[in-house]
């Protein structure tokens, strides 16, 4: 029990400092290359925090478990919108410029609807995987063309890393991501052990502790970004993470082997598409996610988990 508590506390510390390093490095790279904070959040931060999903899905396919790979992507995308942005918006309003939102909403919609369309027959073949990989290539190429007119201002943040070269900032990002993953794992391992000690069911552990644990990198990085006034980076993190999960994770896995799913996934595909559309509608109303919107997203997420638990669909 004592070791489990140490793991949880240590995990929290690693998450905080990992998020600090990740955001600091991302902001300075955005400043150096005059790239939009949203783009940095959607590429460097979003892709980085989704690296665990890529590793899990690739391993699942190599071990003959395509359901795990598909479920990992769909479940992660639902958690990113409902849980990550729900929590972030409840803590601090997340804003995005109108022009930026119009530009970035379309790629997310395309990726989401393309997933629903191609996976509707519960099979992803190699050519569909290659199509997804083409999608992530086009998305990155487009993002790199996006330059920011004005430099970011964050002189009070992480002063001890100010003035370091760009290569050093990339090292900070890698270290930050490693600390985030290690911190999330520490919290999951410690939390699962304590839950089992008190006789909590495996299913409940899976949909709460493990689900939250695998989303902790996104939660921490998005929340810290928003708290520091970089709401576009927080949204970019989720947008980029979801696009990366669809195009890169499923693209890579389906290119290796055909993903044939046995269990019905139509309701899950509909839900992730509907939740994504709801997010975009909520943002378009005021170009901001406030407490009400955050509460709505969290209610949607918890309702989905409850429905899955009671086998409603």
């Amino acid at each position: 029990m004592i070791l489990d508590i140490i793991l949880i506390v240590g995990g929290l510390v690693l998450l905080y400092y990992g998020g600090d390093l990740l955001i600091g490095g991302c902001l300075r790279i955005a400043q150096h290359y005059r790239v939009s904070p949203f783009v940095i959040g959607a590429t460097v931060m979003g892709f980085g925090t989704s690296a665990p999903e890529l590793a899990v899905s690739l391993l699942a396919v190599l071990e003959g478990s395509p359901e795990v790979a598909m479920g990992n992507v769909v479940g992660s995308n639902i958690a990113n919108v409902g849980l990550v942005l729900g929590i972030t918006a409840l803590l601090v309003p997340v804003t995005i410029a109108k022009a930026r939102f119009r530009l970035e909403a379309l790629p997310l919609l395309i990726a989401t609807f393309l997933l629903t369309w191609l996976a509707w027959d519960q099979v992803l073949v190699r050519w569909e995987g290659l199509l997804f990989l083409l999608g992530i290539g086009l998305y990155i190429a487009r993002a790199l063309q996006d330059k920011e007119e004005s430099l970011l201002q964050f002189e009070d943040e992480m002063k001890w890393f100010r003035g370091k070269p760009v290569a050093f900032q990339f090292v900070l990002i890698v270290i930050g991501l490693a600390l985030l993953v290690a911190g999330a794992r520490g919290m999951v391992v410690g939390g699962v052990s304590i839950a089992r000690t008190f006789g909590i069911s495996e299913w409940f552990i899976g949909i709460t502790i493990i689900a939250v644990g695998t989303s902790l990198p996104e939660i921490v990085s998005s929340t810290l970004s928003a708290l520091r006034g970089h709401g576009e980076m927080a949204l970019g993190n989720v947008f980029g993470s979801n696009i990366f999960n669809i195009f890169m994770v499923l693209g890579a896995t389906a290119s290796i082997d055909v993903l044939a799913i046995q269990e019905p996934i139509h309701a899950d595909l509909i839900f992730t598409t509907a939740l994504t559309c709801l997010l975009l509608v909520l943002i378009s109303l005021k170009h901001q996610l406030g407490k009400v919107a955050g509460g709505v997203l969290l209610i949607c997420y918890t309702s989905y988990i409850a429905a899955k638990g009671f086998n409603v669909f």
Side-chain angles (χ1 to χ4, degrees):
M1 179 71 76
I2 295 178
L3 179 60
D4 296 328
I5 294 175
I6 292 175
L7 282 173
I8 292 175
V9 174
L12 285 171
V13 173
L14 291 177
L15 283 169
Y16 176 80
Y17 285 105
D20 214 27
L21 292 175
L22 174 64
I23 294 167
C26 285
L27 288 173
R28 283 180 164 74
I29 288 175
Q31 183 190 49
H32 180 82
Y33 290 109
R34 292 180 178 269
V35 176
S36 160
F38 185 100
V39 172
I40 288 294
T43 54
V44 179
M45 187 183 296
F47 294 0
T49 54
S50 290
E53 284 89 342
L54 176 61
V56 169
S57 294
L58 287 174
L59 183 61
V61 169
L62 293 174
E63 293 181 349
S65 301
E67 291 88 353
V68 174
M70 179 69 76
N72 181 32
V73 168
V74 175
S76 177
N77 282 14
I78 291 172
N80 283 345
V81 174
L83 184 63
V84 175
L85 283 182
I87 291 175
T88 303
L90 280 175
L91 294 176
V92 59
V94 180
T95 59
I96 182 172
K98 186 176 182 179
R100 172 62 57 189
F101 173 70
R102 287 181 175 177
L103 187 65
E104 303 297 342
L106 185 59
L108 180 60
L109 278 176
I110 291 174
T112 303
F113 278 102
L114 193 60
L115 168 64
T116 301
W117 176 45
L118 294 181
W120 193 256
D121 60 357
Q122 304 198 174
V123 176
L124 284 180
V125 296
R126 285 189 172 90
W127 76 263
E128 292 170 329
L130 293 174
L131 180 62
F132 280 157
L133 291 179
L134 175 62
I136 196 63
L138 292 174
Y139 181 74
I140 293 174
R142 168 187 168 276
L144 294 178
Q145 299 298 317
D146 190 348
K147 300 299 181 181
E148 185 79 351
E149 292 299 327
S150 60
L151 293 179
L152 292 167
Q153 299 297 324
F154 50 95
E155 292 303 311
D156 292 330
E157 298 175 18
M158 303 183 69
K159 294 180 179 180
W160 53 93
F161 292 136
R162 185 184 303 159
K164 299 293 184 181
V166 174
F168 183 80
Q169 307 304 330
F170 277 107
V171 172
L172 288 184
I173 290 173
V174 173
I175 295 174
L177 286 170
L179 291 179
L180 282 173
V181 173
R185 177 169 176 78
M187 288 198 67
V188 169
V189 171
V192 167
S193 180
I194 291 176
R196 286 174 176 165
T197 300
F198 287 99
I200 298 176
S201 69
E202 295 287 322
W203 177 86
F204 189 78
I205 293 172
I207 67 167
T208 54
I209 299 171
I210 293 178
V212 173
T214 53
S215 295
L216 278 174
E218 284 89 350
I219 292 173
V220 172
S221 54
S222 294
T223 302
L224 287 179
S225 297
L227 286 172
R228 293 178 180 179
H230 304 293
E232 287 195 358
M233 184 175 285
L235 280 176
N237 184 20
V238 170
F239 276 46
S241 180
N242 282 16
I243 291 172
F244 182 88
N245 284 343
I246 295 170
F247 282 158
M248 184 63 194
V249 176
L250 286 182
T253 51
S255 298
I256 293 175
D257 196 7
V258 175
L259 298 182
I261 313 302
Q262 302 302 318
E263 296 185 11
I265 61 173
H266 301 108
D268 301 283
L269 291 173
I270 292 173
F271 187 84
T272 188
T273 302
L275 188 62
T276 300
C277 292
L278 174 62
L279 169 66
L280 297 179
V281 169
L282 290 173
I283 295 175
S284 66
L285 294 176
K286 295 182 178 179
H287 294 93
Q288 179 186 80
L289 287 178
K291 286 183 170 57
V292 174
V296 170
L297 293 176
L298 268 181
I299 289 173
C300 290
Y301 178 74
T302 53
S303 298
Y304 169 78
I305 294 300
K308 295 295 288 185
F310 289 105
N311 294 318
V312 175
F313 57 81

